[in-house]
Amino acid sequence: MGDRVSAAGGAGAERRFFRTPGRYLARVAGYGLVWWALAGGEASSWVLGAPAVGAAAALGLRLSPPGTPPWRAGGVARFLPYFLWQSLRGGFDVAQRALAPGPPLTPGLLHLPWRLPEGPARVLFANAVSLSPGTLSAALGADGLTVHVLDLDRSVSSHLAVLEARVAGVFGLTLPPPLPGEAGGG
């Protein structure tokens, strides 16, 4: 019994790790950039930073579930400017509503059935929703995401459908069309 090794850990995970040097190097580059920013570009920080970055990248690969869709550079390049613009719009919208006397609000909850597969794409989408104008991820369920909306009168559903498509592009995924009555489906 003690000789069994599952594919999720142990020998299977080690084989998967060594077959993905490109993914490892991409993680090292990403984590290294974060370390450099947090350390303020201080060269002496790499004494601790280099081993920490290498270990974090290896651990991240080892713990990532099999079949995790890799990030697509083109999808990320298209997503980041869109996301930054939407974040700025969201901040401006909230500030405008906070400063306006009696801002017009029609708050409520909106349920979005999942079209993204379980895993990192859903997590990125749920987090990105919270930084979009007038929206906040309120509950993640097996069947979908519940979003708190400041103004149900605005076309939030179509905006969230565009955001979902952008997140799908980050992972190179194709979304099924929304059903009638779902967000973005008419």
Side-chain angles (χ1 to χ4, degrees), residues 104-168:
L105 298 176
T106 312
L109 295 174
L110 182 64
H111 182 76
L112 303 171
W114 290 122
R115 293 190 306 148
L116 291 165
E118 193 172 334
R122 283 188 186 178
V123 172
L124 178 59
F125 177 64
N127 287 318
V129 164
S130 294
L131 292 173
S132 296
T135 59
L136 175 71
S137 293
L140 291 134
D143 62 334
L145 176 67
T146 301
V147 179
H148 180 271
V149 179
L150 280 180
D151 193 354
L152 285 171
D153 292 338
R154 291 188 177 185
S155 67
V156 176
S157 294
S158 61
H159 165 71
L160 293 176
V162 169
L163 178 61
E164 187 179 28
R166 296 278 182 146
V167 168

